[in-house]
Amino acid sequence: MKSFISLELRSLISGIAIFLTFYAYIPYIKGIWKGSIRPHVFSWIIWGATTFIVFFAQIAGNGGVGSLPIGVSGIITILVAFIAYRKRGDIEITKSDWFFFCLALSSLPFWFYFSDPLAAVIVLSIADIFGFIPTFRKGYIHPNSEPLGFYLIFLFRNFLAMAGLAEWNMVTLLFPGSAGIACLVFVMMVKIRKSKFGIIS
């Protein structure tokens, strides 16, 4: 379905989404440098790979200017993974982490074989959600190790990125929609864990 939102407004919405991407990432990256934030490196590697491939799938799905926030996010996500590795964030890698990383990479031959970006986006969305598991596990055990505001900003950013798309279809909407839901579930889980431990945030 083609978007009923004008190109000018979609460009503005996408610009705001890109701004929110930088707004969320800059303090997060600073926190990694200071050592106050210790992200799970492999989660970020998986997210970087999936997000960047989805950007190209959204272009193929006629996402238009609304695809740009995902592309920018993909580049920065890979940068976060690199910085987290250099600063020795959580680098415990399980067999399941490797499985989901390989699943993300497997989306490319799926796309090539089926000649349809939707096949790749489905695989990538699944890989992205499962790539959240190491961070989800870490947040459950150490609920104060992740800034919840970061994930709330990305929840709102994904909503804007979806609104800025030129066409709304499964190829363009599935990934940002599922990622937004994952952020919401993560925030709710950490909030519950913090209240259990009496942590005020």
Side-chain angles (χ1 to χ4, degrees):
M1 180 176 92
K2 285 191 177 294
S3 173
F4 56 82
I5 302 173
S6 68
L7 175 60
E8 292 77 13
L9 184 54
R10 283 190 286 108
S11 298
L12 176 61
I13 290 171
S14 297
I16 295 171
I18 291 172
F19 169 78
L20 285 176
T21 301
F22 282 103
Y23 180 79
Y25 271 121
I26 289 173
Y28 194 85
I29 291 173
K30 285 182 178 178
I32 297 172
W33 276 112
K34 292 178 181 177
S36 59
I37 297 174
R38 290 173 52 85
H40 191 285
V41 176
F42 219 67
S43 274
W44 285 90
I45 291 172
I46 293 171
W47 290 336
T50 55
T51 304
F52 208 59
I53 298 170
V54 164
F55 165 65
F56 290 108
Q58 284 190 333
I59 294 296
N62 300 316
V65 69
S67 305
L68 291 177
I70 299 298
V72 171
S73 185
I75 294 170
I76 301 176
T77 302
I78 292 170
L79 177 63
V80 169
F82 176 74
I83 295 172
Y85 175 75
R86 290 291 302 271
K87 299 300 287 186
R88 293 299 184 267
D90 187 348
I91 56 175
E92 178 187 351
I93 301 172
T94 65
K95 290 180 180 179
S96 63
D97 295 339
W98 277 112
F99 171 77
F100 296 123
F101 179 65
C102 292
L103 183 63
L105 295 182
S106 75
S107 65
L108 293 174
F110 264 91
W111 188 349
F112 178 78
Y113 181 78
F114 290 107
S115 300
D116 181 1
L118 178 59
V121 170
I122 290 172
V123 173
L124 289 165
S125 297
I126 292 170
D128 192 69
I129 294 300
F130 282 113
F132 214 132
I133 289 176
T135 294
F136 205 95
R137 183 173 61 231
K138 184 169 71 74
Y140 183 85
I141 297 169
H142 305 290
N144 216 29
S145 65
E146 291 282 352
L148 294 186
F150 176 81
Y151 293 94
L152 287 172
I153 290 172
F154 267 88
L155 173 62
F156 183 58
R157 192 289 307 266
N158 280 12
F159 171 76
L160 290 177
M162 292 165 69
L165 293 164
E167 286 192 21
W168 294 322
N169 52 59
M170 285 293 287
V171 173
T172 59
L173 293 175
L174 181 60
F175 184 83
S178 61
I181 292 170
C183 286
L184 179 60
V185 171
F186 179 73
V187 168
M188 291 172 62
M189 181 275 294
V190 172
K191 278 285 188 184
I192 292 170
R193 292 291 289 172
K194 282 187 173 185
S195 65
K196 181 177 180 180
F197 288 110
I199 300 172
I200 301 173
S201 59

